[in-house]
Amino acid sequence: MSRRLLVLGSTGSIGTQAIDVVGRSDDLEIVGLSAHSAWEALVEQAVAHGVRRIALADPDAAARAAEAWTDGEVLSGPDGLVRLVVESGADIVLNALVGSAGLGPTVAALGEGIDLALANKESLVVGGELVTQLAEATGARLLPVDSEHAALHHLLRAVPAGSLERITLTASGGPFRGRSRDELADVTVEEALAHPTWSMGGKITIDSATLMNKGLEVMEAHHLFGVPYEKIEVVVHPQSIVHALVETVDGAQLAHLGLPDMRIAIAYALHHPELADLPTRRLRLAELGRLEFEPVDEEAFPCLRLARQAAQAGGTAPCILNAANEVAVHAFLEGRLAFLGIPEVIDATLQEVPAGPVEAFESLYEADHAAREAARRIVERLGERAAARGGAGEL
Ligand code: NAD
Ligand code: MG
């Protein structure tokens, strides 16, 4: 019998690749789809895959979809998304939303005991222990859809309990690898969006250029695998062939390799514990010749350090960092903030908004809100300062 799958964020980079993976399997049936506002693309997907329930976060888009498509039900707003999760009878939910907006559906799926294939790393960064405790309490499986973490999940199957020494995440280094801080002052949005090895959504592509993505991934790995922060290393590897490594107590290291193709990570999560037969381009090391590794330049890319600091501080600090990052990345993409303004906004927000303990999910929603407000004010302040100096975009 096929398993019922819900794809949240189905019009995005991960969502569309997931639909490709599902199309190659007899084991999965899509029972619901969601997007933010791209209603035409969403309705097209619903028609193509015989799906009868969709959700759009944007109420206007939902209204237009309901008018144009009468073969099924259109749910609307953040509540509609949660209803889609809890009412669809899904066996597995793929959360491929972007940003902390993914926390609600993550909590909804795990709370119902539904297995979760999680691409939305932000919900784990923000929700941390509460999210993993919820999965444990209901018995829902939490399966990562991130190349490094799917690789680690796969590798850790070969490590006996108590034998893990450390884990290593690789980072491509993004489009600005090798540049000094000064050389990053006036990089453009277009340059930042030109990722050297992966084709992804806008937000994660900018996170990869600042290295915040790796900071979020350190937290993601900590929560998924219960590894202490001092045992999670990051190494820059420009070819993105080695996705992650684990070191065991005997000094051996196991690495996960492959040409960059997110369908491997998506299929890993959707088919776990089996491995799907995928038509991916195969890695031949002799053709590649060499692989390179180098340390992270934290002076030029301070976001990784900021993320590690927030992670160590714990409580609502990662939530505040994440919200500030989302606001800053958004402002950068809209041309209202310079590239180096991104870590500046995050740092200033962390200083302005006091972190506290996480008592319940409510603490997170409050911290997220307060951090967004503060970050928006800081972006404006930096913009005014730049204008006063007469240098548009130069902060
Ligand atoms: P994307 O921007 O391409 O797609 C995001 C999807 O979520 C779209 O369908 C969009 O309509 C929907 N969405 C956006 N905001 C929403 C909101 N507020 N409410 C409801 N729906 C919303 O993003 P992506 O690159 O596919 O990334 C999705 C997630 O997967 C991110 O958390 C990212 O960090 C993670 N991830 C992506 C990749 C990749 O290769 N793209 C790799 C690893 C991890
Ligand atoms: Mg990744």
Side-chain angles (χ1 to χ4, degrees), residues 315-366:
T316 55
C319 172
I320 294 167
L321 169 110
N322 177 73
N325 181 54
E326 287 186 31
V327 170
V329 169
H330 187 66
F332 172 71
L333 284 170
E334 289 191 340
R336 292 183 284 115
L337 185 69
F339 186 74
L340 290 176
I342 298 173
E344 211 178 323
V345 168
I346 297 164
D347 198 4
T349 306
L350 280 164
Q351 305 214 16
E352 209 170 287
V353 182
V358 179
E359 270 127 25
F361 284 109
E362 206 47 49
S363 331
L364 298 170
Y365 293 118
E366 281 164 16

Side-chain angles (χ1 to χ4, degrees), residues 49-117:
H49 298 277
V51 174
R52 308 304 288 266
R53 276 188 122 197
I54 61 174
L56 283 144
D58 177 44
D60 292 338
R64 298 186 65 183
E67 228 175 78
W69 182 64
T70 48
D71 292 339
E73 190 184 357
V74 182
L75 301 168
S76 159
D79 295 345
L81 202 56
V82 170
R83 274 190 57 205
L84 186 71
V85 174
V86 301
E87 293 175 6
S88 300
D91 299 304
I92 180 162
V93 171
L94 169 64
N95 183 349
L97 258 56
V98 60
S100 64
L103 183 61
T106 285
V107 172
L110 296 175
E112 292 294 308
I114 305 171
D115 288 348
L116 181 66

Side-chain angles (χ1 to χ4, degrees), residues 14-34:
I14 292 288
T16 50
Q17 293 180 84
I19 288 177
D20 178 83
V21 166
V22 174
R24 298 171 193 282
S25 151
D26 300 328
D27 171 48
L28 293 162
E29 175 201 356
I30 303 177
V31 295
L33 296 163
S34 93

